[in-house]
Amino acid sequence: MKNRPPVWRIVLTTILIAVGVAILGFSTRVSQIDFIRLFRDAPKAKALVTSFLTPDLTTRDLQTTTIEMPFPIPCGSAPNGTPIKSGPRLSTSVPCAAAKDSFTLEGFNLAPNAQIAIRWNIPKKGKLTLPYVTTDASGHFSAQLDAKQIAVTVDGTSSSIQVDSLVPVGNLKVSQSVKDVLEAMFVTIFMALLSTTVATIIAIPLSFLAASNITRRGAVGTTAYYITRSFFNIIRSYDPLVMATVFAFWLGFGPFPGTLALTVVTTASLGKMFSEAVENIDPGPIEALQATGSNRLQTVVYSVVPQIVPDFVSYIIYHWDINVRISTVIGFVGGGGIGYYLSTQINSMIGYHKAGTAIWAIVAVVWAMDFLSAEVRKRLA
Amino acid sequence: MLRVQNLTKVYPNGTQALKNVSFEVKDGEFLVVIGLSGSGKSTLLRCINRLIDPTEGKIYWDDQDVTAASPAELLRIRRNIGMVFQQFNLVKRSSVMTNVLSGRLGYANPWLSLLGIWSPADRERALKALGRVGIADKANSRADALSGGQQQRVGIARALMQEPRIVLADEPVASLDPVLSHSILQYLEQLNKEGITVLCSLHFLDLVHRYATRVIALKDGLLVFEGLPDEINRAKFKEIYGEEAQEVRAASFEAPV
């Protein structure tokens, strides 16, 4: 009997476990966990991953061959196109259609295995580009089109269907998206560099104010200590992303608000780390230098600075490294740079290969920065 | 000549580290302060160059009131008072040379020294100081690459850069093993023979007998003994260190000569 735990203990434990299970079950409901979808929607993920894995790196000059045929909507509003019998030609399942009808567009004897851009040439309104299709080995393609309301005949001039077959010619070249990605990457790296530098310049004096062993003397010092310390802690509790959203709302999209957001967050973060480095120094040398009759500034330069420089440099490099990563994410909320490029390409639905290029570039740069910062910090230790 | 009059130090937490301590240090003396850890030895030494401000009492250095000195005067007074520490207090990441040169900051041009620019004369002086403690070849090593004994010698060289008239040594050998203790104290003894007054706190009685010209003892912040080293016998020792204290000899071997 003695070895058995009391009944109330067993009941309490059971209740606690039941409550725990209930909370977990509720959280599953709230986060709309649906593992079946994970498999049902796998093809979508596969398409996306495939695009990401085949980044758009090279390109060739394209030779464009254009064929155009008029397609009146609705029927009789303008003359139908004259069907062509041979050579590269287009053909539609119906010569004309009422608005909102569907029909089939086919192309014959076009360039084999070529990309085909289908466009509506709408009078007085311009072009409407449809998703790209590809021709087969015999130069044939077929696509389902809608007779859109927007393409109705105006003043007796019908819209026409324009088909551009794009045939690569000449040698492989670096693609435009590689150039765009490099440019955006430079923006990101220098955003991170600038924000880290400015943050460092602001954080160094503040960190001394927030170091208890330097500042916390007398009423003024203690006040300054608590003010800077609270400033660091409050700012640090804001995620860079939240900060970037605020600045983007204020200043609009672009690298400037992103850089500002990064600077503010980095200042607080570096300031906190710097102040801790200052607090952790060995007070012995300070005492020794005071004893030699050196003045306050000399004492700091000869006893505090040598002790903190390696830590400071290491923190600065580390922050540059993480700022490159953060500024990528900040780009998504309009901070400019590679993140903005990436989000634009992903949202455009047709730029997945370009997004792939950006992702690879990010992986390469983050890896390189990680490696560099680790190397430098190892040297400093 | 250093005169300490009615020195009292009460820390903000209420600890009474020194209680009405008065004594004199004559020029050329090797005065040793003994006492238990926490008896106020470190506080006493640090009050003399005002690394710690005393609560009450006066300190006269050649009839100048150190306790009333203005900040600028204090810097000039400190220049003449070298200090050696138990933990050496070197900047570990800096070179031995920089550590030694920093002892000269009180004399150097303030602006040039901030940029790390030193006159050839000062560099010469630093090398000579290192030579006197026998480690001139270590000038370009990082301070933390040296052994404890060598680091304390750098500490002495740094104090020498001040051209001090008195050296305060706060348990200079407490972090070193007994053999090195003698080697370090012999350097201090050498300086003492050259005319520099030494005020040194020590733990080991045999070291006191060997090096001191005069001894004072602190117990719970009170001056409980002042006299010649020979006057400290076993009974006196128990009085100072308490009944349970056993005399621990620094070494049962002779000092290397």
Side-chain angles (χ1 to χ4, degrees):
Chain A
M1 238 6 228
K2 258 184 190 169
N3 292 332
R4 210 178 289 167
V7 176
W8 66 268
R9 200 91 199 234
I10 301 174
V11 172
L12 190 70
T13 314
T14 317
I15 292 176
L16 278 179
I17 292 175
V19 168
V21 169
I23 290 176
L24 277 181
F26 183 68
S27 359
T28 327
R29 287 279 296 280
V30 171
S31 20
Q32 302 180 358
I33 303 293
D34 185 354
F35 287 111
I36 297 159
R37 271 182 54 204
L38 216 53
F39 297 99
R40 200 181 61 212
D41 294 346
K44 273 196 215 167
K46 194 184 153 212
L48 197 65
V49 171
T50 313
S51 310
F52 286 163
L53 288 179
T54 50
D56 177 12
L57 297 178
T58 54
T59 185
R60 295 164 85 174
D61 283 332
L62 292 174
Q63 194 180 41
T64 309
T65 320
T66 304
I67 312 176
E68 205 174 341
M69 69 179 290
F71 191 85
I73 306 173
C75 284
S77 60
N80 292 345
T82 34
I84 305 168
K85 293 290 175 208
S86 64
R89 65 186 193 274
L90 298 177
S91 131
T92 46
S93 53
V94 284
C96 60
K100 293 177 186 170
D101 278 0
S102 280
F103 63 97
T104 311
L105 171 72
E106 280 184 286
F108 298 96
N109 297 335
L110 304 173
N113 304 318
Q115 279 228 302
I116 301 294
I118 307 171
R119 297 188 175 96
W120 284 101
N121 270 335
I122 303 166
K124 293 184 184 162
K125 280 184 189 146
K127 288 178 200 264
L128 177 71
T129 305
L130 304 176
Y132 281 35
V133 294
T134 331
T135 54
D136 61 17
S138 59
H140 168 260
F141 80 90
S142 127
Q144 201 68 30
L145 262 59
D146 294 325
K148 288 204 160 53
Q149 181 69 45
I150 195 175
V152 293
T153 304
V154 183
D155 302 336
T157 317
S158 71
S159 292
S160 62
I161 299 170
Q162 179 189 332
V163 167
D164 295 340
S165 28
L166 310 169
V167 181
V169 289
N171 294 325
L172 282 176
K173 299 193 306 184
V174 172
S175 70
Q176 184 59 39
S177 56
V178 169
K179 289 176 195 161
D180 291 345
V181 162
L182 282 182
E183 199 182 307
M185 199 43 129
F186 269 106
V187 172
T188 294
I189 290 174
F190 284 102
M191 262 170 73
L193 180 64
L194 182 67
S195 54
T196 314
T197 310
V198 175
T200 304
I201 293 169
I202 304 171
I204 285 177
L206 288 184
S207 70
F208 279 85
L209 286 180
S212 59
N213 56 342
I214 302 280
T215 310
R216 224 161 139 188
R217 276 182 210 135
V220 181
T222 311
T223 315
Y225 166 80
Y226 280 112
I227 289 177
T228 38
R229 195 108 298 208
S230 320
F231 167 75
F232 288 162
N233 285 332
I234 291 169
I235 299 290
R236 262 160 44 98
S237 63
Y238 285 95
D239 191 83
L241 207 56
V242 178
M243 199 66 81
T245 318
V246 172
F247 278 104
F249 178 76
W250 176 10
L251 299 164
F253 280 11
F256 179 49
T259 312
L260 270 185
L262 265 184
T263 308
V264 172
V265 178
T266 310
T267 303
S269 183
L270 272 179
K272 183 93 194 284
M273 289 172 103
F274 283 177
S275 67
E276 271 157 19
V278 174
E279 283 177 351
N280 283 333
I281 60 169
D282 174 9
I286 301 177
E287 181 181 45
L289 285 194
Q290 281 173 346
T292 65
S294 49
N295 66 35
R296 203 169 260 265
L297 201 55
Q298 289 172 321
T299 306
V300 169
V301 168
Y302 274 83
S303 63
V304 180
V305 171
Q307 294 191 61
I308 57 174
V309 160
D311 279 348
F312 274 35
V313 173
S314 150
Y315 293 150
I316 293 166
I317 293 170
Y318 175 65
H319 267 85
W320 187 23
D321 172 17
I322 54 178
N323 276 353
V324 169
R325 252 175 283 177
I326 295 176
S327 60
T328 306
V329 184
I330 278 183
F332 272 82
V333 295
I338 190 74
Y340 184 62
Y341 179 86
L342 181 59
S343 76
T344 324
Q345 294 309 332
I346 287 180
N347 291 336
S348 77
M349 308 297 280
I350 55 163
Y352 290 150
H353 292 285
K354 291 180 178 174
T357 316
I359 288 174
W360 283 109
I362 292 168
V363 168
V365 169
V366 166
W367 180 83
M369 291 293 300
D370 210 40
F371 176 76
L372 272 180
S373 96
E375 276 300 301
V376 174
R377 284 186 285 148
K378 205 159 43 178
R379 298 266 161 89
L380 285 170
Chain B
M1 170 125 121
L2 181 73
R3 269 188 299 144
V4 175
Q5 283 180 356
N6 308 103
L7 198 66
T8 296
K9 173 65 189 178
V10 183
Y11 283 108
N13 64 13
T15 313
Q16 266 210 307
L18 294 173
K19 298 169 189 161
N20 205 22
V21 173
S22 302
F23 66 97
E24 281 185 8
V25 189
K26 296 190 184 66
D27 287 344
E29 271 192 312
F30 196 122
L31 181 67
V32 168
V33 190
I34 59 172
L36 279 173
S37 302
S39 61
K41 303 189 298 293
S42 290
T43 305
L44 174 64
L45 292 182
R46 281 169 174 72
C47 280
I48 288 170
N49 58 3
R50 272 182 57 194
L51 287 181
I52 294 174
D53 274 316
T55 314
E56 272 172 52
K58 296 276 178 202
I59 293 162
Y60 292 98
W61 171 243
D62 285 348
D63 297 320
Q64 185 181 8
D65 186 353
V66 179
T67 44
S70 71
E73 284 168 346
L74 182 62
L75 293 189
R76 271 197 301 279
I77 294 170
R78 281 178 177 168
R79 266 193 344 196
N80 293 318
I81 306 177
M83 195 158 186
V84 179
F85 302 84
Q86 176 181 354
Q87 298 298 339
F88 325 133
N89 288 359
L90 303 181
V91 180
K92 295 191 176 62
R93 288 178 187 277
S94 297
S95 71
V96 167
M97 189 67 179
T98 308
N99 270 292
V100 175
L101 281 169
S102 68
R104 197 71 188 165
L105 282 170
Y107 294 89
N109 177 314
W111 299 111
L112 289 181
S113 71
L114 289 183
L115 300 171
I117 300 170
W118 292 91
S119 70
D122 282 341
R123 289 182 172 278
E124 186 87 356
R125 194 187 299 273
L127 281 174
K128 250 169 79 184
L130 281 172
R132 283 184 69 179
V133 291
I135 45 171
D137 55 322
K138 301 282 186 195
N140 295 317
S141 310
R142 247 171 73 148
D144 55 4
L146 270 56
S147 69
Q150 289 172 328
Q151 290 194 30
Q152 191 59 296
R153 290 197 256 168
V154 176
I156 294 175
R158 177 174 62 192
L160 281 176
M161 290 298 280
Q162 294 172 238
E163 298 178 90
R165 292 187 40 223
I166 180 168
V167 168
L168 308 174
D170 182 21
E171 299 193 22
V173 297
S175 304
L176 301 173
D177 59 50
V179 189
L180 290 169
S181 297
H182 278 294
S183 129
I184 293 298
L185 285 172
Q186 277 165 6
Y187 284 117
L188 289 179
E189 188 180 41
Q190 184 59 38
L191 301 184
N192 184 239
K193 283 183 179 148
E194 288 166 21
I196 298 175
T197 311
V198 176
L199 179 52
C200 175
S201 60
L202 284 178
H203 263 309
F204 294 120
L205 204 51
D206 56 341
L207 295 179
V208 176
H209 285 139
R210 163 77 177 76
Y211 295 100
T213 59
R214 213 156 60 86
V215 182
I216 58 173
L218 289 176
K219 187 181 182 185
D220 295 332
L222 283 167
L223 190 77
V224 292
F225 173 83
E226 188 168 4
L228 296 174
D230 298 343
E231 294 171 36
I232 303 180
N233 48 26
R234 207 157 265 280
K236 206 74 201 164
F237 179 79
K238 293 256 183 203
E239 201 183 305
I240 297 164
Y241 280 87
E243 274 310 312
E244 283 134 65
Q246 283 293 325
E247 184 192 336
V248 181
R249 296 205 157 258
S252 52
F253 43 81
E254 288 304 304
V257 181

